[in-house]
Amino acid sequence: MPESATPVTPVTFPPAFLWGAATSAYQIEGAVREDGRTPSIWDTFSHTPGKTAGGDTGDIAVDHYHRYRDDVALMKDLGLGAYRFSISWPRVQPTGRGPAVQRGLDFYRRLVDELLAAGIKPAVTLYHWDLPQELEDAGGWPERDTAYRFAEYAQIVGEALGDRVEQWITLNEPWCAAFLGYASGVHAPGRTDPAAALRAAHHLNLAHGLGTVALRSVMPARNSVAISLNTSVVRPLSQSPADLAAARRIDDLSGGIFHGPILHGAYPQSLLEATAPVTDWSYVQDGDLGQIRQPIDAICLNYYTPTVVSAADADSRAPRADGHGASDHSPWPAADDVAFHQPPGERTAMGWSVDPSGLHELIMRYNREAPGIPLYISENGAAYDDKPGADGSVHDPERVAYLNGHLQAVRQAITDGADVRGYYLWSLLDNFEWAYGYEKRFGAVYVDYASQQRTPKSSALWYGRAARTGTLPPPDAAGQAFGESAE
């Protein structure tokens, strides 16, 4: 080391910190017509011309349904301590009603057994957007009955896996399910009705509450029940009263609409007033808010990039740069007078700005919002244009830098007093990226979609070393091979 160099203090995490990776069923499983599975809204949406890039579907995806043993072995080789995956509702309960299909449940039983045998903790997400199509045909999430159907489904899965799975998440990103699915239409089921989107948000909240009760009725008391939220880190473009009001509007629509009732038993009054031109909220029945406000054991947070807003110029017709796909319809009900801005600086292949400070800000917000409730980062990661080199290896230094910066932000939040107990990288594998099809690669493991060959990228090796040692390696140490001792 040169005399002038200053030694870098290692960034070390608490010994019990959980190092994991995450996926979702429709994005990786494939096998959409096997063992009794029936279509979900994403099957229908992806098979509708013009809805996904290149007409891509999840019919095969990365064939995890048949290759799960190899994928678990890969996780073990990397040294991961946990794996967050979702259950395909139409694989378990094909019509969204009635008894389970045991062949569908058996797949998840086998997956859980394989994970436990490898020393990897399974974390189950019950709903990652693949609503059975028959329930959408009956009205979908804007209909109250869907919340009751979800509770029935939660009980089925809890009974099947609750003896071996300790970490449970009811819903993943209900904001996306409600507002991208029913307001902007860029996600399944592709509807564009802002009033329906607000009803969907309430019924997703109700589903969380009912599902939490259902899970606890059939599982050991030691099990943890949580929800994954993707509350925006909203920053006003300026400190003007108009820009601050715009930021409050978007913060209510992205966060308050969910954590208000879940944590505090009430929707923000400012949200109710702002959305009054769209809905009267009469679907919130007596007792709903108490049902939604169930005690939860953890809060899971998904973060990718901050959101910058201002009051819209009345003469401006600029496209809405909110990072949630192109649509003539806004995912933000009653917020047409809010403008979205791209921050300067580095961006990922999604066009999202890279800003680890936003993750620290989000963690500290929920540390204040829900004191005493542990936090997990259930998704964090980035898409880049990854390609194999001549030797077949895949080097992704941008992703390594992204992960290093965001994990340092997590460690700083812990130092600042936040009870953050784990981190799940999004995603384990390159996969079907919803309406973007296979164009965007979020995986730490490269997948050749033609051959289904898996190749760990530099970021996977770097992250695996962090998981084995509990310390962030230097970003240029990404090439450490599998199986090396944790030193």
Side-chain angles (χ1 to χ4, degrees), residues 10-19 79 407 411 462-473 486-487:
V11 178
T12 301
F13 283 72
F17 191 81
L18 202 58
W19 298 83
L407 280 162
R411 187 63 184 90
W462 181 91
Y463 184 69
R465 184 175 171 188
R468 293 194 303 274
T469 65
T471 300
L472 300 185
E487 295 179 349

Side-chain angles (χ1 to χ4, degrees), residues 26-379:
Y26 189 72
Q27 292 180 275
I28 68 165
E29 284 182 2
V32 296
R33 298 175 185 87
E34 293 189 32
D35 294 332
R37 186 187 179 279
T38 57
S40 74
I41 56 175
W42 268 99
D43 293 278
T44 302
F45 187 81
S46 65
H47 280 269
T48 302
K51 295 298 186 182
T52 65
D56 291 340
T57 75
D59 287 3
I60 299 173
V62 298
D63 197 32
H64 176 73
Y65 193 77
H66 300 112
R67 300 170 187 264
Y68 71 92
R69 290 187 177 91
D70 291 341
D71 291 339
V72 172
L74 190 156
M75 286 184 260
K76 181 180 180 181
D77 286 342
L78 283 171
L80 301 189
Y83 175 51
R84 175 187 170 223
F85 61 95
S86 76
I87 307 292
S88 169
W89 189 346
R91 195 179 294 288
V92 166
Q93 196 187 29
T95 65
R97 295 182 175 84
V101 171
Q102 291 303 317
R103 289 172 296 169
L105 278 174
D106 285 345
F107 167 70
Y108 298 106
R109 292 186 177 107
R110 293 192 301 270
L111 174 59
V112 167
D113 288 347
E114 196 79 12
L115 289 164
L116 293 174
I120 298 170
K121 289 187 175 182
V124 164
T125 302
L126 285 172
Y127 186 72
H128 201 128
W129 311 346
D130 47 359
L131 185 72
Q133 182 61 44
E134 289 199 22
L135 290 185
E136 173 60 23
D137 292 343
W141 285 112
E143 294 300 318
R144 185 180 184 86
D145 184 63
T146 306
Y148 293 100
R149 301 287 68 76
F150 175 80
E152 180 183 273
Y153 156 68
Q155 182 171 331
I156 287 171
V157 181
E159 286 177 335
L161 303 178
D163 60 332
R164 286 160 293 162
V165 177
E166 295 185 3
Q167 290 191 312
W168 292 77
I169 296 168
T170 54
L171 309 173
N172 177 76
E173 298 185 352
W175 184 87
C176 293
F179 295 108
L180 300 184
Y182 292 93
S184 71
V186 299
H187 277 195
R191 290 161 62 178
T192 54
D193 180 346
L198 290 164
R199 291 198 306 274
H202 176 66
H203 294 141
L204 283 156
N205 285 335
L206 184 60
H208 161 74
L210 294 168
T212 298
V213 172
L215 286 173
R216 290 197 170 124
S217 72
V218 295
M219 296 197 312
R222 69 174 183 272
N223 288 2
S224 167
V225 180
I227 186 170
S228 284
L229 300 176
N230 63 319
T231 301
S232 296
V233 175
V234 186
R235 295 170 174 170
L237 188 63
S238 78
Q239 293 300 303
S240 72
D243 286 1
L244 290 171
R248 174 60 184 268
R249 184 96 55 86
I250 299 306
D251 185 68
D252 280 346
L253 283 167
S254 75
I257 194 170
F258 298 109
H259 69 232
I262 290 168
L263 297 178
H264 310 303
Y267 287 103
Q269 187 60 35
S270 52
L271 169 73
L272 302 180
E273 292 171 358
T275 56
V278 177
T279 182
D280 61 5
W281 294 86
S282 58
Y283 41 84
V284 180
Q285 297 184 10
D286 290 346
D288 280 5
L289 293 171
Q291 183 68 62
I292 293 167
R293 191 188 184 188
Q294 296 297 320
I296 54 177
D297 303 297
I299 296 172
C300 297
L301 301 174
N302 296 354
Y303 172 82
Y304 293 94
T305 189
T307 300
V308 178
V309 302
S310 70
D313 183 334
D315 297 326
S316 173
R317 295 186 179 276
R320 188 182 57 256
D322 64 358
H324 293 296
S327 173
D328 292 334
H329 303 272
S330 172
W332 307 100
D336 289 340
D337 55 348
V338 175
F340 293 80
H341 304 270
Q342 279 280 13
E346 181 187 352
R347 297 181 189 176
T348 70
M350 297 291 289
W352 298 344
S353 67
V354 177
D355 190 342
S357 71
L359 179 54
H360 179 271
E361 183 178 332
L362 182 68
I363 293 169
M364 299 314 296
R365 177 195 183 152
Y366 277 91
N367 188 56
R368 297 187 300 271
E369 195 86 43
I373 300 180
L375 303 173
Y376 290 85
I377 306 308
S378 45
E379 286 184 28

